Amino acid sequence: MQIVYIILWALLCVYCSYSAHKMSPVLYILGGFFLFMFGWYLVNYLAPFDLFAGTYGIIFRCIAAVFLVAVLIIYFFSKRNSSGQ
């Protein structure tokens, strides 16, 4: 099942990076987030220890939270700027 998640994150990363110039610059950051998720799941699959438990799990959650807050901030600012024009 882990390999399905690895493929999912890789496909989402490629899609967001490809579509960002057409749709929204927020997709560049989302592409970076999906690249991070791809890397984390790949290392978790290959490593002999669990990256979602203990200190590594806390680090994962903090990095994911920073990415998602950044995406929300940029999204709301871009919506505010586009609706004001």
Side-chain angles (χ1 to χ4, degrees), residues 75-85:
Y75 175 75
F76 285 126
F77 278 129
S78 69
K79 282 296 183 183
R80 181 189 303 172
N81 290 340
S82 68
S83 67
Q85 295 179 350

Side-chain angles (χ1 to χ4, degrees), residues 39-85:
W40 197 273
Y41 273 83
L42 182 65
V43 171
N44 186 50
Y45 180 71
L46 297 174
F49 50 89
D50 188 15
L51 286 178
F52 292 104
T55 305
Y56 294 116
I58 293 170
I59 293 169
F60 171 76
R61 288 180 191 97
C62 290
I63 293 172
V66 167
F67 265 113
L68 295 177
V69 167
V71 166
L72 286 174
I73 289 170
I74 292 171
Y75 175 75
F76 285 126
F77 278 129
S78 69
K79 282 296 183 183
R80 181 189 303 172
N81 290 340
S82 68
S83 67
Q85 295 179 350

Side-chain angles (χ1 to χ4, degrees), residues 6-67:
I6 294 169
I7 293 169
L8 170 77
W9 297 126
L11 290 175
L12 285 172
C13 176
V14 169
Y15 175 74
C16 284
S17 298
Y18 178 74
S19 300
H21 69 280
K22 294 179 186 175
M23 293 183 194
S24 172
V26 175
L27 290 178
Y28 283 121
I29 295 174
L30 275 176
F33 175 68
F34 293 140
L35 180 64
F36 164 73
M37 294 291 285
F38 166 73
W40 197 273
Y41 273 83
L42 182 65
V43 171
N44 186 50
Y45 180 71
L46 297 174
F49 50 89
D50 188 15
L51 286 178
F52 292 104
T55 305
Y56 294 116
I58 293 170
I59 293 169
F60 171 76
R61 288 180 191 97
C62 290
I63 293 172
V66 167
F67 265 113

